Amino acid sequence: FALLKKLKEEGLLEKFVCFDQGGGASWDKRDENMARNIIENLTEAPTLVVAGNLHTKTEPITFEGEADEHHPMGEQVKKGIPNVSSGRIEYLTGEFHNYGTRNFGEKSANDDLPTARFFKDGSGLYIFELPEAHVAVVPNPSESLS
């Protein structure tokens, strides 16, 4: 949310589109659906796509213990838009949710966290470095409100 706010304040984000990966389908089919949804919703305005680490890869990937290649959303978007810029979010400490709460690196009691940074590295990859991540609390719309 901090990145979206910063981009909006700097006039670099005009529109925000959420997309669903198509639950129930195979991993490759979900990523194909995400890529198609992104490409179909593009305009001339600057666009930022945020997705999980494996989904943003621009080359085929293999999962641990599997021989088959999988084709992530990033690879499929890159095929449709060869000059698309890529980036990643790097979390220095904190927690994330992926089939349960997991930890990034631990912060020692003596460490001061740096401020957030947004930069382009030597290879042309955009990096948004965040000092600490927190698991988002998202209401479940299927639970009845009383």
Side-chain angles (χ1 to χ4, degrees), residues 138-146:
V138 180
N140 183 347
S142 65
E143 292 179 2
S144 64
L145 299 174
S146 11

Coordinates of all heavy atoms in Angstrom, one line a residue, residues 138-146:
V138 N -7.3 -9.1 6.2 CA -8.3 -8.8 5.2 C -9.7 -9.5 5.6 O -9.7 -10.6 5.9 CB -7.9 -9.4 3.8 CG1 -8.9 -9.2 2.7 CG2 -6.5 -8.9 3.4
P139 N -10.7 -8.7 5.6 CA -12.0 -9.3 6.1 C -12.5 -10.3 5.1 O -12.2 -10.3 3.9 CB -13.0 -8.1 6.1 CG -12.2 -6.9 5.5 CD -10.8 -7.3 5.3
N140 N -13.2 -11.3 5.6 CA -13.7 -12.4 4.8 C -15.1 -12.1 4.5 O -16.0 -12.1 5.3 CB -13.6 -13.7 5.6 CG -14.1 -14.9 4.8 OD1 -14.7 -14.7 3.7 ND2 -13.8 -16.1 5.2
P141 N -15.4 -11.7 3.2 CA -16.8 -11.3 2.8 C -17.8 -12.4 3.0 O -19.0 -12.2 3.0 CB -16.7 -10.9 1.4 CG -15.5 -11.5 0.9 CD -14.5 -11.7 2.1
S142 N -17.4 -13.7 3.1 CA -18.3 -14.8 3.2 C -18.8 -15.0 4.6 O -19.8 -15.7 4.9 CB -17.7 -16.1 2.7 OG -16.6 -16.5 3.5
E143 N -18.1 -14.3 5.6 CA -18.6 -14.4 7.0 C -19.7 -13.4 7.2 O -19.6 -12.2 6.8 CB -17.4 -14.1 7.9 CG -16.4 -15.2 7.9 CD -15.2 -14.9 8.9 OE1 -15.3 -13.8 9.6 OE2 -14.3 -15.7 9.0
S144 N -20.7 -13.8 7.8 CA -21.9 -12.9 8.1 C -21.5 -11.8 9.1 O -20.8 -12.1 10.1 CB -23.1 -13.6 8.5 OG -22.9 -14.2 9.7
L145 N -21.9 -10.6 8.9 CA -21.6 -9.5 9.8 C -22.8 -9.5 10.8 O -24.0 -9.4 10.3 CB -21.4 -8.2 9.1 CG -20.3 -8.2 8.1 CD1 -20.3 -6.9 7.3 CD2 -19.0 -8.3 8.9
S146 N -22.6 -9.4 12.0 CA -23.7 -9.3 13.0 C -23.5 -8.1 13.9 O -22.5 -7.5 14.0 CB -23.9 -10.5 13.8 OG -22.8 -11.4 13.8

